[in-house]
Amino acid sequence: MSPSLFARIAPPLFVLIWATGFIVARLVAPHAEPLTFLFVRYILATLVLAAIVAAARVSWPRRWSDWRNSLIAGVLLHGFYLGGVFWAVKHGLPAGISALVAGLQPLATGLLAGPLLGERVSPGRWAGIGIGFMGAALVVAPKLGDGGVPPLALFVCVLGMLSITFGTIWQKRTGSNLDLRVNATIQYIGAAIVTLPLMLLLEEGHMDFTLPLLGALAWAVFGLSIGAIGLLLFLIRQGAVVGVATLLYLVPPVAALMAFALFGETLTLIQLAGMALAALGVAVASRS
């Protein structure tokens, strides 16, 4: 596959794979504690990627600063973000509200990219960000009444959203020189390091090794931890972080379609309109 062709298909492929994370969370919830599941996922992803790095004979970083930068990126992009969202959902935050909170990331990235990265966000891109957020909000709106909103769970979810925002900016600033496979491997080491004490403190390490859990774990490692994160790191390296973050507006619509196909969840006219608005917002932001 030519580099130009891969660059064209990478954004839609990233959205498609990233959206399956909501499906994995739904499949895993009855069978495993969230931080325990994530810790096992990080360890397995580290081992698989380390084997790939060894087979490819890629050099590991020689400078401590490169290790430090990747470890911090892993803590922010994976450890605190996924840990916060999974923990919040497990402790009563409705999935629709968690998706809406995650949908604030492009707005946060747009506000921070200027002072932290020197990226100028054009009026057209701001318009796309606003349109995309309205679309994502409409997609999850029918689910907002599914239950109460525990304040602590909501707060932890917001912290998770801020974590991936800062992680994306940190990765853009520090991770451009490392091989993507090496970078991702070190990131999962960082995620595992920060997740382990939280898991030991908050959970009992429960996992039911049923077929659905094993299938979800396999996809979480190979599809999400390796495939989706590899695409995310590639996109961050190739473009502006605001543009990459705006792609996440397409995740709730795609996840809703997957839930409709797999679990028979209903799709309302409001949600369909939201999907169209989210796609329009990403198109406007991308053009700008």
Side-chain angles (χ1 to χ4, degrees), residues 17-49:
I17 298 177
W18 194 266
T20 64
F22 290 90
I23 306 302
V24 168
R26 174 163 178 167
L27 290 172
V28 165
H31 304 288
E33 292 179 295
L35 297 179
T36 300
F37 174 81
L38 289 174
F39 178 73
V40 173
R41 168 180 167 178
Y42 298 148
I43 293 298
L44 292 177
T46 299
L47 294 174
V48 172
L49 283 167

Side-chain angles (χ1 to χ4, degrees), residues 68-95:
R68 177 201 63 203
N69 292 338
S70 292
L71 287 170
I72 292 174
V75 169
L76 295 173
L77 286 172
H78 313 301
F80 287 154
Y81 167 62
L82 289 175
V85 172
F86 271 59
W87 188 91
V89 172
K90 182 73 173 181
H91 288 79
L93 188 68

Side-chain angles (χ1 to χ4, degrees), residues 247-285:
L247 286 173
L248 296 180
Y249 281 145
L250 294 176
V251 171
V254 174
L257 288 172
M258 290 180 177
F260 170 76
L262 295 174
F263 306 120
E265 293 188 4
T266 58
L267 284 175
T268 66
L269 289 176
I270 290 179
Q271 287 179 295
L272 294 174
M275 292 178 189
L277 265 183
L280 176 62
V282 172
V284 170

Side-chain angles (χ1 to χ4, degrees), residues 17-21 24 41 188 216 219-230:
I17 298 177
W18 194 266
T20 64
V24 168
R41 168 180 167 178
Y188 285 120
W219 176 250
V221 171
F222 292 98
L224 291 165
S225 295
I226 296 177
I229 295 301

